[in-house]
Amino acid sequence: MCFSVSADAQGQSMGVSRLDVFYRRLLLTKLFIGGWGKPEDLKRIFEFRKIVGDREKCKTLVPVDYPVYINKTEELADCRIHDGFFISPLEQLVPGILPPEAVKARFQFIEPKRWKKNRPVCIQLAGTGDHFFWRRRTLMARPMIKEAGMASLLLENPYYGYRKPKDQLRSCLKNVSDLFVMGGALILESTVLLRWLEREGYWPLGMTGISMGGYMASLAVTNWPKPIPLIPCLSWSTASSVFTTGVLSRAVNWAELEKQYAVNSVYEREIFKLLEYCGVDSYKMGTEVQRRLDSLGDLLDLPGGLQVSAGRRFNVDMQCATSGTAEKQGSGTNTPPRPPSAPSVGRGRNMNSATCCRPSLQTESISFMKGVMDECTHMANFSVPVDTSLIIVIQAREDAYIPRTGVLSLQEIWPGCEVRYLNGGHISAYLFKQNFFRKSIYDAFDRFCLKYPSSP
């Protein structure tokens, strides 16, 4: 059963899916085993985020005639499958930030042999663990051809499939910064493909993705200067909650992140100053994380290292102080708390001793994670899509991977978008609701054609 509502409060989770929790426990590998990433890389990424976060600044980043190549075509009974590639624009704009294996962007374009009406194409970005093209081609693209005569373009994410670095284990990104590099690359690469499809005469064009693919599709659409259908499935307004309060937080290599944060003062001294996001949901970090962990700790089997003190809120307060926009706290004072001193986060201590795991360091590391994630993934840090009425968001009510509590809703950030809720959790929705995802894609495209009936 599914339905749409106009307010996020009506779609709040009725609990946490035990299937989500069980499935997460089957995954034994750790995320971010390499740590935060090089400080200089984070600085470059944050500076680049300021550009791609503003649609007006991006109009000339990707030339209209950016070269795209088709190197193979396969004829099937009902469709043609074209394999193509191009060089990621991110390599030119932020040289060396991509691993060498990811510089060449690869895609599959699956188009029907007979179009039913117009020549619609939906770009589909990959979710976590979705390497190569088989999964999206089988579960979404081929059925979309049969049901609606709609083509799909499947872009390979950096760090996945053909673009996976040799030293990366399966889908486990080595550094936190890798996720931000992936997002920056996909924003630009989606622009390349949208412009290529326009040049080739396809219309209308839209974007979708499931889970992480939904986040990435949302980021890409914020950068597109025209109305476009967007259908993000099983994603929300920021990735910060995924890695701090969702079930995936249990898979994060917190020990290495805490160690690096404590030993290398540059993260606190310099990186913090570059974090600009100062939304109201940032102030809920301490209380919301504590409340959520208290209520779900047994279910999620969270380590003691994730028990956050409600009194040590993340200090986007500190970010506000840096930007001169300190806001009033619940304590009734206008003076934001001072940034933690070096001794308070354990710098200079023996990281093999028990003292390195005290709550202050754990809290600071989780806080820093929320800060950098919000900086690069929070939709409020990016331009609002040109026409939010063309956005249909799909959410699972009991999603343990994508927590919605304590963060701004997409309806607040994108007024006019529609949110449709499914009963169940993240995994069950992915396994059994692909048909609902496709139906929502068709609805968004139909809405676009009614509102903008002629091709450009």
Side-chain angles (χ1 to χ4, degrees), residues 53 73 183 209 259 277 287 296 305 352 402 428 446:
T73 297
K259 177 179 178 180
Y277 180 66
T287 55
L296 301 181
N352 293 321
I402 314 291
S428 62
D446 288 344

Side-chain angles (χ1 to χ4, degrees), residues 308-322:
V308 179
S309 167
R312 292 183 60 82
R313 302 192 169 157
F314 172 42
N315 296 301
V316 176
D317 316 5
M318 180 167 63
Q319 301 168 28
C320 290
T322 301

